[in-house]
Amino acid sequence: MLVNDMIHGLYPEAVTIGEDVSGMPTFCIPVQDGGVGFDYRLHMAIADKWIEILKKRDEDWKMGEIVHTLTNRRWMEKCVAYAESHDQALVGDKTIAFWLMDKDMYEFMALDRPSTALIDRGIALHKMIRLVTMGLGGEGYLNFMGNEFGHPEWIDFPRGDQRLPNGVVIPGNGYSYDKCRRRFDLVNFHFNSYFACVVIC
C-alpha cells in the first residue's frame, strides 16, 4: 500500500501491476479507498489452465472451462492476461509451442520442405490460444518472452548449481549465455528450420 501510494503520488501516470495468487479482494482498489492500490493484477490462473488443457486429448477440451477461467475475475478489476508463464518454462515444463509441436519444430518448419499435420495443427492452435486469451483474459496482455517471432526455445539465464537445505543439488547451466537472448535474427534466415516459427506470431 505504501509503495503504491508513493508511486502514484510521485508519478500519477505510472501503472503498477501486482502478482497475487490469493485472490485478495482489495488488491486493485485505490489506497485512499482502503485497497492495496495496484492498477492491474496478473491473471495467473490462465497459464496454468492452458498447460492443464494441453495435457488432455483434443476431444476432452471443455470450452466452458476455458471461458470460465479466462473471464473469472472481479467486476471492474483490471487484469493482465497471458497464455504461458515464464516460470513454467524455466522450471522444467515446456512452452505452449513445445506442448503442441515438440521436436517437429526443428525439422518440419522450414520453407524448403513440407510441414507436417502436427506442425499445421500446432501453429493454428498456438494462434487461437493467444487470440482467445487476449480477447477474454483481461484489459492487458503479457507476451511470453521471445514469442514476438515465435521463439522455439526457452530463455535460460546463466546460473550455477544450487544446493537445497536437504542436500539435493539442482544442476545449473554452467553459467551459459547460450539461451539468454531473444532470437531476433530468426527473421533473416530464409531456409533455416526456425524461420517458419515466425508464422506463429
Side-chain angles (χ1 to χ4, degrees), residues 74-193:
R74 285 186 195 84
W75 183 69
M76 296 292 288
E77 183 177 77
K78 293 186 279 188
C79 290
V80 175
Y82 51 100
E84 54 190 324
S85 164
H86 300 78
D87 293 339
Q88 290 166 335
L90 288 173
V91 294
D93 209 332
K94 299 189 282 190
T95 64
I96 288 178
F98 262 111
W99 273 108
L100 293 169
M101 297 173 280
D102 206 38
K103 64 184 182 305
D104 275 25
M105 284 194 298
Y106 294 110
E107 299 296 327
F108 301 106
M109 292 185 79
L111 296 176
D112 61 344
R113 65 185 80 107
S115 93
T116 64
L118 185 67
I119 294 296
D120 293 340
R121 172 189 173 273
I123 289 174
L125 280 175
H126 203 283
K127 289 178 180 179
M128 289 193 315
I129 286 168
R130 290 187 297 153
L131 176 65
V132 73
T133 302
M134 284 184 223
L136 296 177
E139 290 69 32
Y141 182 78
L142 177 65
N143 194 35
F144 185 77
M145 201 181 301
N147 258 355
E148 299 86 351
F149 295 107
H151 196 303
E153 299 282 0
W154 62 91
I155 292 186
D156 191 11
F157 296 99
R159 57 194 165 77
D161 295 344
Q162 280 188 315
R163 183 173 299 280
L164 300 179
N166 63 3
V168 174
V169 175
I170 300 174
N173 63 5
Y175 297 99
S176 170
Y177 284 84
D178 182 50
K179 292 190 172 40
C180 184
R181 72 210 188 287
R182 294 183 183 181
R183 294 292 308 273
F184 290 111
D185 61 322
L186 297 179
V187 73
N188 299 320
F189 287 92
H190 297 293
F191 294 102
N192 186 299
S193 61

Side-chain angles (χ1 to χ4, degrees), residues 2-18:
L2 179 62
V3 170
N4 277 315
D5 192 44
M6 182 188 74
I7 290 171
H8 290 114
L10 293 173
Y11 306 100
E13 72 285 354
V15 174
T16 59
I17 303 170

